[in-house]
């Protein structure tokens, strides 16, 4: 069975595993380190920011179950800000986050963005490694202890295509099963 990308919103029932696991992960990795309630990051932005025309939210479904996902929102006129890259704990180490990042990059291009900006936390070395591997430029000194910065910013330039190919919420596209 082929995996498929499903464009939706963070409020869709299929997105609940993403929201719950990512909230738990942020809470357990950071606690109140940033002087916030544990898991506060997941309620920082309203769902509407991750919807067209300025943003988007995608899940990777396998047999109808969300196994990975991510989103972007407008950062500035030419830049999207990638958020919520996540892989279900049962499906890690299969390259799924890399698929999500690539799909979100394509969708950002479809929506007219020429650059992606993102931040990840210093206690997420696997995310830092992923972004470096897929061509993101760190906007910090990688030789310095990441805790010095707290949040680690990255950017990547994209090739812009017409916005007419935007995938609206509820659209699907299939992948070959890995």
């Amino acid at each position: 069975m082929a995996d498929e990308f499903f464009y939706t919103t963070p409020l869709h029932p299929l997105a609940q595993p993403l929201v719950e696991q990512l909230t738990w992960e942020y809470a357990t990795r950071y606690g109140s380190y940033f002087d916030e309630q544990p898991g506060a990051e997941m309620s920082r932005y309203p769902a509407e920011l991750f919807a067209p025309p300025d943003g988007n939210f995608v899940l990777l479904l396998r047999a109808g179950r969300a196994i990975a996902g991510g989103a972007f929102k407008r950062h500035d006129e030419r830049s999207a800000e990638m958020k919520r890259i996540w892989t279900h704990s049962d499906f890690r180490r299969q390259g799924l986050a890399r698929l999500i990042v690539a799909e979100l990059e394509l969708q950002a291009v479809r929506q007219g963005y020429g650059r992606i900006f993102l931040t990840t936390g210093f206690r997420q070395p696997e995310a830092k490694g992923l972004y470096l591997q897929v061509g993101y430029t760190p906007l910090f000194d990688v030789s310095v202890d990441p805790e010095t910065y707290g949040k680690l910013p990255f950017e990547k330039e994209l090739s812009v295509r017409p916005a007419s190919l935007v995938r609206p919420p509820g659209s699907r596209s299939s992948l070959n099963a890995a």
Side-chain angles (χ1 to χ4, degrees):
M1 173 174 270
D3 291 346
E4 64 181 340
F5 289 116
F6 176 56
Y7 281 84
T8 186
T9 75
L11 303 175
H12 192 284
L14 286 172
Q16 288 312 297
L18 179 152
V19 173
E20 291 168 7
Q21 279 197 4
L22 200 48
T23 300
W24 179 85
E25 196 147 327
Y26 288 154
T28 57
R29 287 192 190 211
Y30 297 101
S32 58
Y33 179 87
F34 292 108
D35 294 326
E36 299 176 325
Q37 186 141 359
E41 172 62 25
M42 290 302 291
S43 59
R44 183 178 318 284
Y45 306 104
E48 305 83 57
L49 293 180
F50 302 111
D54 294 331
N56 228 311
F57 182 89
V58 68
L59 296 172
L60 181 60
L61 303 180
R62 182 173 291 164
R65 177 183 180 195
I67 60 171
F72 65 83
K73 65 182 191 68
R74 177 175 296 279
H75 181 68
D76 61 36
E77 284 302 310
R78 73 176 292 272
S79 306
E81 182 175 358
M82 199 171 331
K83 304 293 287 180
R84 316 286 189 254
I85 306 304
W86 163 87
T87 301
H88 190 288
S89 58
D90 294 343
F91 297 92
R92 293 193 173 153
R93 315 258 342 131
Q94 297 179 28
L96 301 179
R98 185 183 300 256
L99 289 175
I100 291 295
V101 168
E103 180 66 16
L104 287 171
E105 289 175 358
L106 289 172
Q107 186 60 33
V109 167
R110 289 183 198 108
Q111 289 180 229
Y113 292 109
R115 176 180 170 265
I116 291 191
F117 172 80
L118 65 89
T119 60
T120 191
F122 70 95
R123 291 182 179 159
Q124 295 169 261
E126 61 285 318
K128 175 185 168 189
L130 168 68
Y131 299 129
L132 290 170
Q133 288 173 0
V134 298
Y136 281 77
T137 301
L139 301 176
F140 60 95
D141 183 345
V142 295
S143 68
V144 172
D145 178 358
E147 189 169 355
T148 303
Y149 300 110
K151 294 183 180 178
L152 309 177
F154 290 85
E155 70 178 354
K156 185 176 186 179
E157 293 293 322
L158 304 172
S159 299
V160 178
R161 293 186 196 154
S164 62
L165 301 174
V166 171
R167 290 192 177 142
S171 68
R172 296 174 184 252
S173 65
S174 293
L175 298 170
N176 292 330

